[in-house]
Amino acid sequence: MSPIDTLINSTIRPDVRAVAGYHVADASGFIKLDAMENPYHLPQHLREELGRRLADVALNRYPVASYASIKQRIQDKLGVPAGHDVILGNGSDELISILCMACAMQDRRATVVAPTPSFVMYQRSAQFAGMDYVGVPLKADLTLDLPAMLAAIAQHKPALVFLSYPNNPTGNLFAEDDIVAIIRALDGFGLAVVDEAYEPFAQQTFMHRLPEFNNLVVMRTVSKLGLAGIRLGYLSAAPQLLAEFDKVRPPYNINVLTQVAAEFALDHVEVLNQQAAALRAARADLTAALARIPGVEVFPSAANFILIRVPDSDDAHAKLLSHKVLVKNVSKMHSVLTNCLRITVSTPEENSTFLDAFAASQAA
């Protein structure tokens, strides 16, 4: 064994050494339909104005630690209930990590429960925080198995239950009554975290129900709205809970360029909302077109992506790559996703290019 291997084995946790890194495919030269990004830019006049504002940022100074101005815009523009504040994260990933770190007990192993398959960072963040993770499989039709979820809650008494709403990678919205049942089942010992990353495309939310449930946490990101590059997430909960989460948040975790860009975008949020509306319309068109291709099963989606099942996902994925179209092959994530591909909804031009390449791959 080499000296560096000896050093790693003696200093790095075995479970960290054993896990694979989070892989992001190189999309250079490809039509990129694998990461649920908004394909549209801001209009040119807004881009020019944003450039002027960013040029005036004091890069030599730390951010204002309270982030008061951007938090106020989020509260005013994005439906946060009166009396509820938000905390900010470097994307949803950091917020998930903050939640897990805040809830990981030192005297016993705390547990995270989530439906599976779902967003991979729920499990990773739980593991890295030293928590146990229990994944409850979805039904064969990709709907939530409520009896199994309630049984897992009763057995494990989890500190956190993550509920992606709509779910990634399946795209479906779990039934509202099922989520309420889970929130109530956790009352007194656990938090229900409703992850609304795709809320601009689902147009359904639990944000307005925060005053109803002390143990409800609602988490969102501006990434899917069209600002993936600035990495900004936010969550809201009862003020007493937020105060505890904020102790775990790193100081100055949102940089000044992100802050100014987000404030500017939220001042023009109607532009982003129009883009989301265009993507919802494109989702309907793309769903209908995919459903017309023989041998393709299309699952309902309330997100900005569509999950489909094909006869051979590896073959279809490879053929799309040969046409310089990048989608996500999720078939290895879980048995319920066998032969499934996830396709980001994009512009009419990119959707058309994808459909032509995909139809050719299925006909070959």
Side-chain angles (χ1 to χ4, degrees), residues 220-295:
R220 292 182 184 167
T221 175
V222 300
S223 292
K224 315 308 177 188
L225 189 59
L227 303 170
I230 69 172
R231 307 300 300 131
L232 180 68
Y234 62 99
L235 67 77
S236 189
Q240 297 91 332
L241 279 175
L242 279 190
E244 300 303 321
F245 299 149
D246 203 42
K247 296 173 185 176
V248 183
R249 178 183 61 82
Y252 310 121
N253 63 324
I254 306 301
N255 70 74
V256 290
L257 296 175
T258 288
Q259 180 171 349
V260 170
E263 289 173 358
F264 179 81
L266 291 176
D267 285 342
H268 303 279
V269 71
E270 69 281 356
V271 174
L272 300 177
N273 289 335
Q274 290 166 7
Q275 293 174 355
L279 291 170
R280 292 195 300 269
R283 179 183 65 198
D285 293 340
L286 186 56
T287 297
L290 286 165
R292 290 193 291 267
I293 299 175

Side-chain angles (χ1 to χ4, degrees), residues 274-329:
Q274 290 166 7
Q275 293 174 355
L279 291 170
R280 292 195 300 269
R283 179 183 65 198
D285 293 340
L286 186 56
T287 297
L290 286 165
R292 290 193 291 267
I293 299 175
V296 176
E297 180 181 6
V298 184
F299 294 94
S301 176
N304 65 337
F305 61 86
I306 299 169
L307 185 77
I308 63 172
R309 177 170 283 124
V310 297
D312 187 335
S313 60
D314 290 341
D315 180 70
H317 186 255
K319 288 176 178 175
L320 286 169
L321 287 177
S322 72
H323 286 86
K324 294 296 184 180
V325 176
L326 184 62
V327 301
K328 185 73 171 179
N329 186 353

Side-chain angles (χ1 to χ4, degrees), residues 10 22 28 37 47 59 98 103 111 131 146 157-159 171 214 223 229 240 252 289 300 304 314-315 318 325 336 363:
S10 64
Y22 190 97
S28 303
E37 296 152 323
R47 294 167 68 182
L59 296 179
I98 286 171
C103 296
T111 300
M131 305 176 81
L146 181 61
K157 295 292 190 289
N214 285 331
S223 292
Q240 297 91 332
Y252 310 121
N304 65 337
D314 290 341
D315 180 70
V325 176
V336 300

